[in-house]
Amino acid sequence: MKVFGAIALVGLLSLVLLSALGVVWTRHESRVLFVRLTTLQNQRDALNVEYGRLELEQATWAEPRRIDEEARSKLGMVTPAPQDIQLVRR
């Protein structure tokens, strides 16, 4: 009977140790994943700021007045005189 009790005690002790190791491993993985989540959230926030800045820049570049100024200064375009305008009909 004493041998069976000793074997049961060793078995239960090993199960407790395995359970403790499982808890430690799970907590470690949880911390690693939390750090990764925080890093990804910070990256997402930075990308959202960059996206907002790019949208603002695009809106500025696409403004009709700016396009008109660029066409006149860099391409030398001018508004045609009324006598130079022709209507094309089908």
Side-chain angles (χ1 to χ4, degrees):
M1 235 9 179
K2 287 189 173 194
V3 173
F4 179 73
I7 292 174
L9 183 63
V10 169
L12 289 175
L13 182 62
S14 61
L15 288 176
V16 168
L17 288 176
L18 284 174
S19 175
L21 287 174
V23 168
V24 169
W25 182 79
T26 302
R27 283 189 173 225
H28 172 71
E29 284 297 312
S30 174
R31 288 184 181 127
V32 167
L33 290 174
F34 180 74
V35 168
R36 177 137 170 82
L37 173 66
T38 304
T39 303
L40 290 173
Q41 285 175 338
N42 291 339
Q43 185 180 13
R44 179 204 59 203
D45 293 343
L47 288 172
N48 279 336
V49 168
E50 177 73 9
Y51 181 72
R53 189 187 63 74
L54 289 173
E55 279 187 323
L56 182 61
E57 184 178 349
Q58 180 186 20
T60 302
W61 282 99
E63 189 176 311
R65 188 183 76 229
R66 178 158 175 75
I67 293 171
D68 185 59
E69 288 173 5
E70 293 291 322
R72 289 179 189 278
S73 65
K74 291 186 178 176
L75 300 176
M77 299 178 89
V78 295
T79 304
Q83 62 270 18
D84 293 335
I85 298 174
Q86 295 179 6
L87 288 177
V88 179
R89 296 184 183 170
R90 289 186 177 201

